[in-house]
Amino acid sequence: MNGKAATGGEARVSARTRLERGRTALGPALELVHTGRAPTRAVLTAELGVTRATAGAVAAELEALGLIRIDAKPSAAAGSQGRPSHRLSVAEGGPVALAAQVHADGFRAALVGLGGRIVATAPGCETVDADPARVLGSVVEAGARLLRETGRRCVGAGLAVPSAVAEPEGTALNPLHLAWPAGAPVRDIFAERVRRAGVDGPVFTGNDVNLAALAEHRHGAGRGARDLLCVATGHRGVGGALVLDGRLHTGSSGLALEVGHLTVRPEGRPCHCGSRGCLDVETDPLALLTAAGVEPGPDGPLDQARALLRERYDDPVVRAAAEGLTDRLGLGLAGLVNILNPDRIILGGLHRALLEADPERLRAVVADRSLWGRSGSVPILACTLDHNSLVGAAELAWQPVLDDPLGALAQ
């Protein structure tokens, strides 16, 4: 009797321990599926370091929450032996985050599910009003319409803006390419508009390139990098971001990696910041159009500059203009490599197009100007996600769910 009682007690303790361990593992398990690092239950078991039974219980709980889908009868790969492991994927009809982005030529709202999947988008105006409250009210209403049309549950909202965002206040410190006042309280305005629209969940705001880097690290060209440097041109100017061990490095108050204001041509163009020859004005779309002698058109400088490289790169004037921008970009990247020692660089916007037009030239400049370039050059890759700033904005809203699925969804 005593032996049987002890065995039963031990079984109850063991079951309770597995349950507690499983609940603790819910967040890490969801993040593994979310980022594509656990496509099967066998991989999930290995990554979590738990028993197969615990991994199965965790996966079942996430499926019950409507977050993932378990395929218990996947087809076996050709030539494989044994029963294939259950396949795991994000739930197609699951919750979404409302993501919003404002840039110099307009705004866009989107619904983004787990896995960085854009479910629906709504492009906005081409002229951004000088009143941030009016712009943010419009973009939130566009997102709220998408939620009503799709009937999806919303876990929260994230906003990407072309400005350094000071923390903890959530103010747009220097929206240089918008007519907004410096220090505009964009997070508070965005949160108020989100609540007014009847959208539930926490609200976040971040710099657009920071958020692009976060999205690329989890779902795109930066996946697997430990220290990831992202440099990108938006519709105007140049931004940078650094992801360290899976987390954005934003500095002590959110203002780190303002790489657009590195000087790469001391005698160059005046910059909005008061200096001269910054990356911001020497390697952005307007700089390419100006160097090539092309007048900016109605389609926006980024699309026009990309089309110029794609359609007229054989023109000697266009090629010379592109090579000048590439050399100045390479000089800036080399300085960042010397300071930050990243294990990967990814480029977005016009910089991606410059890399694709002449990849060897850019890599040669970086290698020549960086201290360790010739002995171990840093991989330089193009960003791969469409609308990566929007996906990154959604990542901010998804983070509380990734941290604590049960707690976040209960709220």
Side-chain angles (χ1 to χ4, degrees):
M1 290 290 293
N2 289 339
K4 291 181 180 180
T7 301
E10 290 171 1
R12 287 192 294 273
V13 170
S14 178
R16 185 166 62 249
T17 300
R18 282 199 303 272
L19 179 62
E20 292 171 352
R21 186 178 300 164
R23 287 175 175 169
T24 303
L26 282 176
L30 182 60
E31 184 166 344
L32 287 167
V33 178
H34 171 62
T35 56
R37 290 179 290 153
T40 68
R41 195 174 68 179
V43 176
L44 182 68
T45 301
E47 289 288 335
L48 293 177
V50 297
T51 65
R52 188 168 63 178
T54 298
V58 167
E61 182 74 20
L62 293 175
E63 186 177 47
L65 290 170
L67 297 172
I68 74 168
R69 176 178 177 272
I70 304 172
D71 182 358
K73 297 180 179 180
S75 57
S80 63
Q81 296 182 352
R83 187 174 62 183
S85 178
H86 293 17
R87 295 203 64 81
L88 308 177
S89 60
V90 298
E92 292 184 2
V96 294
L98 190 160
Q101 181 182 11
V102 177
H103 53 74
D105 297 314
F107 63 72
R108 184 179 294 271
L111 305 183
V112 184
L114 283 168
R117 296 180 301 109
I118 295 180
V119 173
T121 61
C125 67
E126 294 185 359
T127 302
V128 175
D129 194 277
D131 180 2
R134 186 173 300 169
V135 178
L136 296 179
S138 296
V139 72
V140 168
E141 181 51 40
R145 280 197 301 271
L146 292 177
L147 285 170
R148 290 193 295 270
E149 291 167 1
T150 60
R152 304 288 277 269
R153 177 180 181 178
C154 184
V155 300
L159 169 69
V161 292
S163 168
V165 177
E167 298 294 353
E169 302 89 353
T171 56
L173 191 64
N174 60 339
L176 297 177
H177 304 289
L178 301 175
W180 293 359
V186 290
R187 182 182 300 151
D188 289 346
I189 296 172
F190 183 58
E192 190 274 333
R193 293 301 188 271
V194 167
R195 296 292 169 257
R196 182 184 295 183
V199 177
D200 295 328
V203 175
F204 304 88
T205 306
N207 169 263
D208 53 2
V209 179
N210 277 350
L211 299 182
L214 180 62
E216 292 284 346
H217 186 267
R218 291 183 175 181
H219 308 292
R223 189 154 52 183
R226 179 178 176 182
D227 299 329
L228 176 69
L229 172 64
C230 175
V231 177
T233 53
H235 292 251
R236 302 278 201 286
V238 175
L242 186 66
V243 179
L244 301 177
D245 287 329
R247 298 287 180 181
L248 277 172
H249 174 73
T250 56
S252 60
S253 57
L255 309 180
L257 269 291
E258 279 293 304
V259 305
H261 301 290
L262 287 175
T263 299
V264 293
R265 194 182 182 195
E267 74 287 358
R269 298 179 178 87
C271 183
H272 314 277
C273 71
S275 186
R276 300 183 71 90
C278 297
L279 276 175
D280 210 58
V281 291
E282 294 290 343
T283 67
D284 80 339
L286 283 176
L288 178 65
L289 298 178
T290 300
V294 176
E295 286 292 326
D299 296 332
L302 179 57
D303 290 340
Q304 190 178 2
R306 284 169 167 164
L308 189 67
L309 291 177
R310 185 172 58 250
E311 299 167 6
R312 293 179 51 192
Y313 192 71
D314 290 337
D315 182 326
V317 175
V318 174
R319 182 182 288 269
E323 288 177 347
L325 261 72
T326 298
D327 291 348
R328 291 190 283 279
L329 173 61
L331 181 62
L333 291 178
L336 293 168
V337 167
N338 291 339
I339 295 170
L340 301 173
N341 187 31
D343 58 13
R344 193 179 309 173
I345 299 171
I346 58 173
L347 302 179
L350 180 64
H351 294 167
R352 170 181 173 174
L354 289 170
L355 174 67
E356 292 170 342
D358 193 348
E360 296 311 314
R361 185 181 187 94
L362 179 60
R363 291 176 178 133
V365 173
V366 174
D368 185 57
R369 294 298 191 116
S370 58
L371 291 173
W372 317 116
R374 295 196 178 281
S375 61
S377 59
V378 182
I380 304 175
L381 306 175
C383 290
T384 58
L385 299 179
D386 293 330
H387 307 303
N388 51 17
S389 293
L390 275 173
V391 175
E395 289 295 316
L396 295 182
W398 272 112
Q399 193 59 52
V401 182
L402 298 176
D403 290 339
D404 180 9
L406 278 174
L409 294 181
Q411 293 175 12

